[in-house]
Amino acid sequence: MGDLVVGLAKSVVEGVLTKAQSAIEEESKLRQSAQRDLVFITGEFEMMHSFLNVANEERAKNNVVRTWVRQVRDLAYDVEDCIEFVVHLDNRPHWWRRFIPSCMAALALPIDAVVTEIEQIKARVEDVSKRNSRYSLISDSGSKPVMQQQPTTSPANGATARDMFAEARDTTKKQQGIGDLTQLITKENSDLGVISVWGIGGDLGRTSIIRKAYQDPEICQNFGCRGWIRLTYPFNPHKFQQSLVTQFYTNSCLQQGTTVDVAELKRMERTGAKQGGLLEEVMKQANEKRYLIVLENVCTMGEWDAIRACLPDRQKGNWIIVSTEKREIASLCIGHSYQVLELKQYSAEHPVCVFFKEGPQGKETGRVMSSNNEKLMEDEVNHGAGLTSYHRIPTSRKAVASSWFDQFSLVGRESQMNELRNFQTTARFNDWQVMSVWGIAGVGKSVLVRNLYYERMLQKDPIFDKYGWVLVSHPFNLRDFSRSLLLDFHSKPIEDLGIEDPIQECHKLLKEHPCLVVIDDVQSTEEWDLIQPSLVSRHSKSVIIVITTEESIATYCADNEEVVFNVKGLEAQASFDLFRKEVQNKNQASPLKNSDDKELEQLIVKCGRLPKVIVAVAKFLAPKTVTCMESTRTLNRRFMHELESNPEFRGLRDLFGWMHSYFRTCPDFLRPCIFYMSIFPGSQIIRRRRLVMRWVAEGYSRDTKDTTAEEKGEILFSMLVNLSMIQPPMCKAITHMRMIQCQVSAFFHEYIISRPDEENIIFALEVFALKGRCLPTTQRTGRHLVIESSWDRDRIVFESIDFSRLRSLTVFGEWESFFISNSMKVLRVLDLENATGVTDKDLKLMVKLLPRLKFLSLRGSSGIRHLPSSLGELRQLETLDVRHTSIVTLPASITKLKKLQYIRAGTTFPAGEPSTPCRSHQLVGVEVPVGIDKLTALHTLGVVNAGLAGGKDSLKELKKITQLRKLGVFGVNKKNCMEFCAAIACHVRLESLSVWLSKGNEECLDDISLHLEKPLEKIQQQPQGKGLGKTQQRPQHKPQEKPHQKTQGKPLGNLQSLKLCGLVKQVPSWIKDLPKLTKLELEITMSEEVEVINVLGEIKELCILRLCVKPHHGADGKLDFCVWVNGIQQRCYLNLKILEITCSSKLNVSFGSEAMQNLELLTARCCSGSTLKFMEIKNLSKQKLKEARLIGSHDTALKDDIEKQLEEHPRNPPLKLEELEGC
C-alpha cells in the first residue's frame, strides 16, 4: 500500500493541479473545486495509510478489518487512476468548446469529466472513513482493533522456565541437537528408561514429536507392547490398567499383521473384573515383550507414583515417555541426576525440551545425537585445565571437524567457498574483527561457514587458538549468550571452571587470544549492539563471523562493507548434482539417482536452487522405490501444499516461517516488485531491462531527489538478486556484471502464487491468467491479465472479463485482434514481446484506445512495419520497445513524447544477405526524425541509423541528450565519423555503446582517441559540423547564448560494455584506456598475422569477451592469447570469466599455460565450412572452468578433439552441443 500512498502524496497531487491550471478563466472555478476535493482526499488517505499499517498486523484476526482494507486499497487504485487522467489532459485551451450546446454530450470537456469523477471519489472516501468509525475497526490508540483486544498472559513458569530453556539450549548447541526421540529410545538400555518431554504454552509441538517416535517402524518392531494413555483427573488405576492391557494387545496384533480376537478382548475384560486381575495381565504381557508407554498430561507426583506401582520394573530395556507442562514434574520423574536438551523451538517463548538420565546412557546418547560426533568433553579439560592453555586444539575437536568433512561434501560451492576464504583473509589482514555472511533462509549460509570453520581448525599451523560457535537464542539474553560461547570453548559448564562473570570472561578471552567465533542467526541490530561491546576490542587478533538473513544487519555488524558476504542459491546444474548425491546417499538402489524424467526435472527446478529444499525433497523421495515416480508427480503437482503441510517436510518449517515473516514485514517499496514476479511463468527467461521498465511504468519504482526511477528499479532488482528471488538462467558462468537475462526463482514463484488472498490484502496484485480451456465467468477480473500460449483464444471468454481496472496486459504466444478492448481505459503496460500475429492495424487501434500507456513492447513482432503518427498522443509513454520488428523509421510525432526514456529499435539483418553466425546477430538501425533532441529524458536509445541522408544531423542532436547511458549507432562511416565521435565524447554517463561500421570504413573510429584526450569543456564548445582536423576554426558564441553546462567526468569514463562490428585487421588502441570496461564484443575481419592480443590483454577489468572472427580474402586466422615478456608467459585476462569465439573460416586458437586462469565458460560458434581448432585447453583455467559449449555446424573431428582435451583438464568439464539456426 505504501507505493500507492506515495502516488497520493501531496507533492504529486499539487503537480497534477499545476498542470490543470493552464486552462482559461472560464474553467478556474471548476479547477478550484477539484483542488479542494483532492486536498481532502489526500488528508483522508494519510490517515488511512496509518490505519493500514495496523491492519497489516491484524489481518488474519478480523474479517471486518480485511474487508475494510480491501475497500481502501481499491479506492486508492481508483484515485491514482483519476490523477493519471488529470495528468493526461491536453494543455491546449478549450474555451471555444464552451459555446457548443450541452446536448452534444460527446463533446464534453475533459476537465468536466475530471471534476465529476473527483466528486464521486470524494463521496466514496467519506463513506469509507465513516465505515471505519461505524464498525469501530481501529481503536483510538491505533494499536489494535477493538473487537480483537486480547488479555495479556504471563509465562507459565516465569524466570525458572527461562533459565531452564537457557540451560537446554547450551547443552543442545554443544551436542548439535537431536532430531527426535527415536535416537534416545532405540539405544540399548538394561534398566527401565524414563524420558520427560516438557514445554509450556499448551500442547505446542509435544504431541507431534512424541507421535513421530511412537509410530517409528523401528520402535514398533523393538517394542512388542505399546500404549498411549492420556491421564484424567482424578487418576483411576483400574481404568489405566484396562486401557493399557487393551492397547498392548491390539498394537501387538497390528504389528504382527494378525486379526484382533474379540474373544480375547472379552477374556481380558473378565480378568479385569477380578481383584488384581488387570495387574496380572499387564505383568504377563510386559514380561514377554519390551514395552513403551506414553503418559500424557502428568500433573502431580502422586499420579506418577501411582502409575509406577502399576507397571513392572523389569530390566528388559522398557521405556516410559512423560509429557507435561510442569518443569518440576519433568525433572522429578527422571530423578536427581538428569540432562536436558532442546528438541524443537516452535517459537522463542515455546521451545520443547527433553529430560533424560545422566550417566553412561547420556554420554552414549550424546555421541548419537551429535550430528558432528562430538564427544569426550573431558578431553578439553585435559589439554589445559580451564583457561590457562589455548595453544593446542584438543584432539576431540579435530575429530569432530574431520568427521564433518567425512559426512558432508559441498556441491557446486567451490567458487563461493573461495570467496568466503578471501573475505576472512581480508578481514584478518586489515585488522577487521567482524565480518558478516548473509542470505535468505535455506540458502546454505551456515554450511558454508561451518566448512570454513572446520578448515581453519584442521590447518597444520592454525592461526586461531580457540574456536566457538554460538546459535543466538530469541528473545536475546547477553548472559545466556556468553555462557553458550564459553561452553563451546571449553565443553564444560562454566560453574565447574569457577567463572563468575561470563560476559567479562568472553571479552577477556577474545582480547588476549586469537579466536574464531561464529555467531549464527542474529536477527536485529539491537542484538548486535548488546553483543559488540562484550566481544569486540581494539588490537585483537580474533575474527568474528556474523550470520544473518538480513543485508542491513550484515552491513551494520561488519567492520567494513568489503567483508559483507552474500550467499546466493546454487547454480542450475549444481541443483541437480546435489539432488542425485543426496538420493544416492539415502538409497543407492533408487531409480531417481540417474533419472531424466521431465517431471523430476521440473520438481528440482521448483526447489529454487535452495540446498535445504533440495535435500528435503531428496530425503522424501529416496526411500521410495516402486512408488517413486508417482510420488514425484504428486509432489510436483502439489509442491507448495505438500512442503507446508506434510509432516515429513517439517525440517522446512524454519524456512517457511522466515518467508512468511519476510513477506509480512518487508519494505513497502519492495513488496509489489516481489509479487509482480508472479506475472511471469516460473520457467520464463526475462530480460532485466524489461522487468525494470515495467516496474517504472507501474509506479513501483519512482523518482526521488537523489535517484531516477530507473536507477531505483535497478537497485530493487539487485535486492531481489541478493535474496535469490531472481536468479541467472541455466548458465554455468556468473559474473559480477548486471545480468542481462534472469529467471524468477521457481520456489518463490510457487510460494507467491500459492498465497491466499487474505495474506496479501495490503498489496494484492490481483493477477489472473488465461490458460488451457476456460469457461465464461463474471468473477474473472483483476488489475493484471496474463494470456498464456496454452489458452485456446476463446473470444466469448475474453469478452466476459471486466477490464475497467486492468493496468497491465501480457501476452505469450499468438495475438488476436480482439485482445484490445475500449474498456481498458487505465491500461499502463502492454507487453507483447515475442507475441506472433500482431499487425500495423492492431497497433493503430492500440494507440487509439489506450491513451494512458506508459510501457509498450512489440519486440519480436516482425509483422509490424510502421509506427502510426498518432503515437504522439501517448503522452505518458516512457518505454517503447520495437526491436526485431520491421520498423525502419520513427515517426516525427515521437518528439512530442517528453516523458519517453527508453527507445529500443532496429530490424534484423536483411534476408538477402548471407547468413553467418555473425550476421545472425546484426541489426539495421532506424531513422530518427529531426527534433529527437527534444526527448531530454532519454537514457536508452538504439539503434540509430546514421548512414542515411540525415544521419549527420541526427548525430549532432544526440550531443544534446546528455542523460544517455545506453546508445547504439548503425552505419558509422568516414562521412559522419567526426559527428559521431564528437557526439559520444559528450556523454560522460554512457555505460553501454554499440557501433556498426559501414563496409570499408573500419579505420574511422581511430579518431575517438583524440576526443578522449581533450578536456570535456572544449569538446562541448566545439562548433557543430566542423571536422576535428580544422583546429584553426574557433567556436563563436553569440552574446545572448549560454554555453552548454559543463559535465564532470571523463568522456567514456563510465563505459562498461562495448560492441564494435565491422573492424578489419586491427582493434582500436583506445579501448585499453577505458577504465571500467568489463564486457567487449568484436566483429573483426582478420588474417593470420594480425595480433589483437596486444590491445585486449591490457584491458584489466575485462570479464566477458566475445569475438566474431571472419577471414580476410579467405586467409587463415590465428588467435594466440599468450602474452610473452622476455620469453616468459605472463598471467593475463585475470578477470575473464566468459569467452565466446565465432568463426566461419579456418581459425586456430591457443591459450598457453598462464592466460585466463579464472575462465568459467568457453563457447565456440561455427558455421558450415568453418575449421576451428583449439590448443592447450587442458591448461586453461585449471581451477575454474565449468563447461565448454560447441554451437552450430561442426565436424566430428572438432568435437572429438575438444572432448579429448577436456578429459585431460583437471576439472574434466563437460562439452555441450547446441544447434545454431541458419547454419
Side-chain angles (χ1 to χ4, degrees):
M1 195 65 191
D3 280 326
L4 297 180
V5 175
V6 171
L8 298 169
K10 183 171 290 187
S11 59
V12 177
V13 175
E14 289 175 352
V16 171
L17 293 173
T18 300
K19 184 177 179 66
Q21 287 171 353
S22 61
I24 61 173
E25 183 63 22
E26 285 82 352
E27 298 177 24
S28 62
K29 294 182 180 179
L30 293 175
R31 294 186 181 278
Q32 291 172 6
S33 174
Q35 185 174 7
R36 288 194 300 271
D37 291 343
L38 286 173
V39 170
F40 169 80
I41 291 171
T42 302
E44 287 294 304
F45 267 92
E46 287 176 353
M47 293 301 298
M48 290 179 185
H49 180 240
S50 299
F51 289 166
L52 285 176
N53 290 333
V54 179
N56 188 38
E57 298 173 0
E58 300 295 334
R59 64 191 184 281
K61 300 181 181 179
N62 193 329
N63 290 330
V64 181
V65 171
R66 288 204 298 267
T67 302
W68 182 77
V69 171
R70 186 169 58 251
Q71 292 173 352
V72 172
R73 183 201 66 212
D74 293 340
L75 182 57
Y77 274 122
D78 293 341
V79 173
E80 194 174 29
D81 291 337
C82 179
I83 293 176
E84 288 288 340
F85 184 37
V86 176
V87 173
H88 189 68
L89 290 178
D90 198 330
N91 282 328
R92 293 173 296 182
H94 297 285
W95 60 267
W96 56 272
R97 294 172 63 179
R98 293 285 174 194
F99 296 99
I100 297 176
S102 58
C103 61
M104 301 178 64
L107 295 178
L109 289 174
I111 188 63
D112 296 327
V114 168
V115 172
T116 301
E117 187 171 350
I118 290 178
E119 289 176 349
Q120 294 174 351
I121 287 179
K122 178 184 177 183
R124 290 175 58 194
V125 170
E126 290 176 333
D127 185 56
V128 168
S129 298
K130 292 176 182 178
R131 193 172 296 126
N132 171 45
S133 302
R134 186 184 312 143
Y135 293 100
S136 300
L137 298 179
I138 300 178
S139 65
D140 293 337
S141 65
S143 61
K144 300 284 183 182
V146 173
M147 60 181 62
Q148 287 295 323
Q149 295 283 342
Q150 298 292 337
T152 303
T153 59
S154 59
N157 293 300
T160 304
R162 288 194 296 270
D163 293 341
M164 184 59 69
F165 289 152
E167 178 185 342
R169 285 170 184 156
D170 285 346
T171 309
T172 304
K173 292 166 192 172
K174 178 60 194 169
Q175 298 195 7
Q176 299 297 319
I178 63 176
D180 50 43
L181 298 176
T182 308
Q183 296 169 309
L184 285 170
I185 302 171
T186 53
K187 298 310 296 179
E188 293 296 332
N189 179 35
S190 58
D191 300 327
L192 174 64
V194 180
I195 297 173
S196 294
V197 179
W198 166 66
I200 61 176
D203 187 32
L204 185 61
R206 295 201 311 272
T207 301
S208 61
I209 290 174
I210 300 173
R211 175 67 64 179
K212 178 190 174 185
Y214 185 77
Q215 296 180 335
D216 184 89
E218 186 178 356
I219 297 293
C220 295
Q221 183 177 359
N222 292 339
F223 295 91
C225 297
R226 290 181 304 122
W228 186 301
I229 310 295
R230 180 174 180 82
L231 303 184
T232 58
Y233 182 81
F235 176 68
N236 187 322
H238 182 82
K239 290 185 177 180
F240 173 79
Q241 294 174 352
Q242 180 70 58
S243 177
L244 202 58
V245 167
T246 303
Q247 290 192 55
F248 277 179
Y249 174 68
T250 54
N251 286 331
S252 177
C253 291
L254 291 175
Q255 180 64 25
Q256 296 174 6
T258 59
T259 305
V260 175
D261 190 346
V262 178
E264 179 64 16
L265 290 176
K266 290 182 178 181
R267 183 195 67 78
M268 293 179 183
E269 186 176 353
R270 290 193 301 269
T271 302
K274 301 178 183 178
Q275 185 175 5
L278 281 176
L279 182 58
E280 293 178 3
E281 192 66 34
V282 171
M283 296 293 184
K284 176 184 176 183
Q285 295 193 37
N287 285 331
E288 296 175 356
K289 303 173 183 176
R290 295 174 65 189
Y291 66 78
L292 170 64
I293 300 174
V294 177
L295 302 177
E296 197 174 359
N297 198 31
V298 179
C299 297
T300 68
M301 286 306 296
E303 292 176 345
W304 171 247
D305 292 338
I307 292 170
R308 289 291 285 110
C310 298
L311 297 175
D313 190 5
R314 299 290 190 273
Q315 296 184 352
K316 294 175 63 68
N318 302 315
W319 283 91
I320 300 174
I321 300 177
V322 176
S323 176
T324 181
E325 286 189 52
K326 297 188 176 183
R327 181 188 61 83
E328 294 83 0
I329 300 298
S331 60
L332 290 175
C333 288
I334 304 300
H336 293 292
S337 178
Y338 62 83
Q339 187 174 355
V340 58
L341 294 175
E342 183 182 44
L343 280 176
K344 291 287 184 180
Q345 186 177 350
Y346 288 91
S347 70
E349 298 80 14
H350 301 113
V352 177
C353 299
V354 57
F355 291 70
F356 55 92
K357 191 174 182 180
E358 280 188 336
Q361 167 191 313
K363 290 184 179 181
E364 181 65 22
T365 302
R367 289 195 293 271
V368 176
M369 291 187 295
S370 173
S371 60
N372 292 327
N373 200 31
E374 190 162 357
K375 56 183 182 293
L376 299 178
M377 293 182 179
E378 63 276 7
D379 189 41
E380 294 281 350
V381 182
N382 294 338
H383 284 287
L387 303 177
T388 59
S389 176
Y390 299 99
H391 300 286
R392 179 182 176 188
I393 301 172
T395 306
S396 63
R397 302 214 65 171
K398 289 189 175 184
V400 170
S402 299
S403 176
W404 193 88
F405 284 111
D406 292 339
Q407 296 178 39
F408 301 97
S409 60
L410 298 181
V411 177
R413 292 292 201 183
E414 295 84 359
S415 177
Q416 291 199 40
M417 270 308 304
N418 287 332
E419 290 185 62
L420 184 59
R421 295 184 189 104
N422 292 335
F423 272 59
Q424 189 264 311
T425 303
T426 301
R428 185 169 172 80
F429 180 79
N430 291 282
D431 292 326
W432 294 331
Q433 290 187 54
V434 185
M435 61 174 285
S436 299
V437 177
W438 77 277
I440 64 170
V443 80
K445 307 179 294 297
S446 297
V447 173
L448 277 178
V449 176
R450 180 77 67 180
N451 199 78
L452 176 69
Y453 181 78
Y454 285 142
E455 271 186 2
R456 295 294 183 249
M457 192 180 294
L458 293 177
Q459 284 180 331
K460 291 184 178 179
D461 298 312
I463 57 179
F464 300 105
D465 292 341
K466 294 293 281 185
Y467 298 81
W469 188 295
V470 189
L471 180 64
V472 179
S473 58
H474 303 96
F476 180 74
N477 182 287
L478 182 59
R479 191 173 184 86
D480 292 343
F481 170 86
S482 302
R483 291 174 70 250
S484 298
L485 179 57
L486 291 174
L487 178 65
D488 201 63
F489 276 148
H490 305 298
S491 304
K492 190 174 183 180
I494 61 174
E495 290 80 6
D496 297 347
L497 299 173
I499 298 174
E500 297 181 357
D501 187 347
I503 300 176
Q504 184 61 33
E505 192 64 33
C506 285
H507 184 86
K508 178 182 177 182
L509 187 60
L510 271 72
K511 181 180 180 179
E512 297 180 355
H513 304 277
C515 305
L516 178 60
V517 176
V518 179
I519 305 176
D520 199 352
D521 198 24
V522 176
Q523 295 186 4
S524 69
T525 56
E526 290 78 13
E527 292 176 354
W528 179 248
D529 288 338
L530 294 172
I531 296 172
Q532 195 264 354
S534 67
L535 295 187
V536 182
S537 58
R538 292 185 178 182
H539 311 299
S540 170
K541 295 299 182 181
S542 297
V543 173
I544 300 171
I545 303 177
V546 175
I547 304 177
T548 180
T549 57
E550 301 291 336
E551 181 181 15
S552 59
I553 298 174
T555 305
Y556 184 85
C557 297
D559 286 344
N560 191 285
E561 289 188 3
E562 292 184 24
V563 285
V564 177
F565 183 72
N566 175 223
V567 180
K568 298 184 178 68
L570 296 171
E571 296 178 16
Q573 186 58 46
S575 300
F576 292 89
D577 295 340
L578 177 60
F579 177 83
R580 295 187 180 98
K581 176 179 176 293
E582 288 296 323
V583 168
Q584 186 170 4
N585 289 342
K586 298 297 178 182
N587 182 7
Q588 293 188 358
S590 173
L592 295 176
K593 64 179 183 180
N594 296 315
S595 175
D596 294 327
D597 183 75
K598 293 297 181 184
E599 287 214 48
L600 179 60
E601 292 183 6
Q602 293 175 8
L603 180 60
I604 298 174
V605 169
K606 285 183 180 180
C607 294
R609 309 183 192 177
L610 297 179
K612 190 168 187 175
V613 182
I614 296 170
V615 171
V617 170
K619 288 182 178 179
F620 173 75
L621 294 175
K624 298 172 172 51
T625 53
V626 179
T627 62
C628 66
M629 298 314 300
E630 181 59 33
S631 299
T632 299
R633 286 188 284 271
T634 301
L635 185 57
N636 189 34
R637 288 194 301 268
R638 296 163 47 86
F639 181 72
M640 198 55 61
H641 174 77
E642 287 290 325
L643 262 57
E644 291 189 84
S645 61
N646 193 326
E648 295 196 51
F649 292 108
R650 57 186 166 274
L652 299 178
R653 287 175 182 169
D654 292 343
L655 170 60
F656 284 113
W658 176 86
M659 291 179 66
H660 180 73
S661 174
Y662 183 83
F663 282 113
R664 181 169 51 85
T665 61
C666 75
D668 285 339
F669 63 82
L670 189 59
R671 185 183 294 115
C673 298
I674 294 174
F675 282 90
Y676 199 70
M677 307 299 288
S678 62
I679 288 176
F680 300 95
S683 59
Q684 180 75 27
I685 296 179
I686 315 165
R687 290 183 303 104
R688 185 192 83 253
R689 297 296 292 274
R690 175 188 185 184
L691 184 60
V692 169
M693 295 311 296
R694 285 190 61 152
W695 285 344
V696 173
E698 296 282 6
Y700 306 152
S701 176
R702 299 177 183 271
D703 290 331
T704 66
K705 64 179 181 179
D706 298 321
T707 59
T708 65
E710 193 232 354
E711 289 173 337
K712 182 65 177 298
E714 294 287 0
I715 293 173
L716 296 174
F717 185 90
S718 298
M719 292 176 69
L720 296 185
V721 171
N722 290 338
L723 287 166
S724 295
M725 294 182 185
I726 292 178
Q727 299 172 330
M730 300 282 284
C731 175
K732 279 289 184 178
I734 299 177
T735 71
H736 63 273
M737 297 183 64
R738 291 184 301 189
M739 61 181 73
I740 297 175
Q741 294 180 323
C742 65
Q743 284 179 300
V744 183
S745 166
F747 183 78
F748 284 100
H749 185 271
E750 292 290 321
Y751 182 82
I752 291 170
I753 63 176
S754 67
R755 295 305 90 194
D757 292 340
E758 57 267 21
E759 288 191 19
N760 304 324
I761 62 171
I762 297 301
F763 195 92
L765 285 179
E766 299 183 31
V767 177
F768 63 110
L770 295 175
K771 53 186 176 182
R773 292 184 176 272
C774 303
L775 296 176
T777 173
T778 58
Q779 298 300 312
R780 188 177 288 115
T781 183
R783 304 189 187 277
H784 304 276
L785 172 61
V786 180
I787 299 178
E788 299 192 7
S789 56
S790 63
W791 184 48
D792 59 4
R793 272 55 179 170
D794 190 325
R795 184 166 188 165
I796 296 176
V797 171
F798 189 84
E799 293 178 348
S800 68
I801 301 173
D802 177 13
F803 298 115
S804 60
R805 301 184 301 151
L806 193 67
R807 289 191 163 202
S808 77
L809 173 60
T810 308
V811 179
F812 298 100
E814 186 179 358
W815 166 267
E816 296 289 348
S817 59
F818 63 80
F819 286 175
I820 291 296
S821 170
N822 57 9
S823 62
M824 298 177 179
K825 295 181 179 180
V826 297
L827 194 74
R828 296 180 174 193
V829 173
L830 181 59
D831 192 343
L832 309 182
E833 183 164 323
N834 294 324
T836 59
V838 188
T839 65
D840 289 339
K841 183 179 179 180
D842 295 326
L843 178 57
K844 192 172 183 180
L845 185 62
M846 296 173 198
V847 174
K848 178 181 177 181
L849 297 181
L850 309 175
R852 301 191 196 181
L853 277 182
K854 293 187 175 184
F855 179 101
L856 175 60
S857 176
L858 303 166
R859 176 180 283 242
S861 298
S862 57
I864 300 294
R865 299 181 179 276
H866 304 284
L867 287 173
S869 58
S870 57
L871 185 73
E873 298 301 317
L874 302 181
R875 299 182 183 278
Q876 303 302 310
L877 195 65
E878 298 170 346
T879 297
L880 176 64
D881 192 339
V882 291
R883 199 164 192 181
H884 300 302
T885 64
S886 300
I887 296 171
V888 295
T889 303
L890 299 181
S893 61
I894 200 173
T895 59
K896 299 179 182 179
L897 306 180
K898 306 300 183 182
K899 295 186 177 182
L900 200 57
Q901 304 174 24
Y902 182 98
I903 300 177
R904 298 290 282 168
T907 64
T908 55
F909 205 86
E913 297 289 340
S915 175
T916 71
C918 298
R919 291 290 190 188
S920 63
H921 290 85
Q922 281 201 7
L923 296 173
V924 175
V926 295
E927 182 180 2
V928 297
V930 176
I932 193 70
D933 57 332
K934 297 178 182 178
L935 304 181
T936 55
L938 273 180
H939 57 69
T940 299
L941 176 61
V943 174
V944 175
N945 193 339
L948 301 175
K952 283 188 177 183
D953 294 332
S954 299
L955 291 173
K956 292 175 184 177
E957 291 186 346
L958 289 182
K959 294 176 62 176
K960 302 177 183 179
I961 311 177
T962 58
Q963 301 301 311
L964 277 179
R965 294 193 293 276
K966 188 167 187 175
L967 176 65
V969 181
F970 179 87
V972 176
N973 52 47
K974 293 178 181 178
K975 295 180 180 180
N976 60 28
C977 67
M978 297 304 173
E979 288 77 10
F980 169 74
C981 294
I984 65 169
C986 290
H987 292 96
V988 296
R989 295 181 176 85
L990 206 61
E991 298 174 358
S992 175
L993 176 64
S994 299
V995 182
W996 286 263
L997 300 173
S998 298
K999 189 174 182 179
N1001 294 271
E1002 58 275 1
E1003 297 178 357
C1004 63
L1005 292 182
D1006 293 342
D1007 289 334
I1008 290 183
S1009 59
L1010 301 177
H1011 287 260
L1012 298 179
E1013 296 170 359
K1014 285 188 177 184
L1016 188 58
E1017 54 267 24
K1018 291 185 178 181
I1019 297 174
Q1020 293 171 331
Q1021 293 172 358
Q1022 185 174 339
Q1024 297 181 1
K1026 302 299 181 181
L1028 292 177
K1030 301 178 182 181
T1031 56
Q1032 71 277 10
Q1033 298 187 12
R1034 299 184 181 274
Q1036 298 179 0
H1037 295 290
K1038 295 180 181 180
Q1040 67 274 18
E1041 289 182 342
K1042 295 182 180 180
H1044 295 296
Q1045 182 180 0
K1046 295 181 181 180
T1047 307
Q1048 299 297 323
K1050 182 180 178 181
L1052 300 185
N1054 282 321
L1055 198 68
Q1056 302 171 24
S1057 176
L1058 177 63
K1059 180 176 183 177
L1060 300 178
C1061 297
L1063 300 175
V1064 176
K1065 291 187 177 181
Q1066 63 180 0
V1067 176
S1069 59
W1070 50 265
I1071 293 179
K1072 68 178 183 296
D1073 298 322
L1074 301 176
K1076 296 184 179 181
L1077 188 64
T1078 54
K1079 179 182 177 182
L1080 180 61
E1081 297 185 46
L1082 300 177
E1083 178 195 314
I1084 182 170
T1085 301
M1086 58 181 296
S1087 58
E1088 185 176 357
E1089 63 272 10
V1090 174
E1091 294 185 2
V1092 299
I1093 306 305
N1094 292 338
V1095 175
L1096 303 185
E1098 296 185 40
I1099 307 176
K1100 297 181 179 179
E1101 300 300 322
L1102 193 61
C1103 184
I1104 300 175
L1105 177 60
R1106 293 188 172 99
L1107 297 174
C1108 180
V1109 181
K1110 299 189 293 184
H1112 185 64
H1113 301 304
D1116 296 341
K1118 179 181 179 182
L1119 282 177
D1120 187 354
F1121 289 98
C1122 296
V1123 175
W1124 298 85
V1125 176
N1126 297 327
I1128 300 175
Q1129 290 191 40
Q1130 303 297 307
R1131 292 176 63 86
C1132 54
Y1133 299 93
L1134 296 181
N1135 292 311
L1136 197 68
K1137 290 191 174 183
I1138 298 176
L1139 175 63
E1140 182 175 307
I1141 299 176
T1142 303
C1143 77
S1144 57
S1145 61
K1146 186 176 181 179
L1147 181 66
N1148 295 322
V1149 182
S1150 57
F1151 299 103
S1153 59
E1154 298 296 331
M1156 304 182 188
Q1157 288 305 306
N1158 288 306
L1159 193 72
E1160 296 183 12
L1161 175 63
L1162 173 64
T1163 301
R1165 293 176 179 266
C1166 44
C1167 206
S1168 179
S1170 63
T1171 304
L1172 183 62
K1173 184 174 180 59
F1174 287 100
M1175 290 173 282
E1176 301 166 327
I1177 292 181
K1178 65 180 181 180
N1179 296 324
L1180 183 62
S1181 187
K1182 296 180 180 179
Q1183 301 300 323
K1184 299 290 186 65
L1185 188 62
K1186 298 177 179 178
E1187 182 180 293
R1189 295 179 183 174
L1190 186 56
I1191 304 175
S1193 301
H1194 56 269
D1195 55 21
T1196 305
L1198 173 61
K1199 169 181 167 294
D1200 294 342
D1201 181 60
I1202 295 178
E1203 285 182 337
K1204 181 179 179 181
Q1205 294 191 56
L1206 291 176
E1207 289 175 358
E1208 297 174 356
H1209 193 278
R1211 287 179 57 89
N1212 193 22
L1215 175 65
K1216 292 191 175 182
L1217 305 178
E1218 298 180 19
E1219 296 294 330
L1220 179 67
E1221 296 181 2
C1223 289

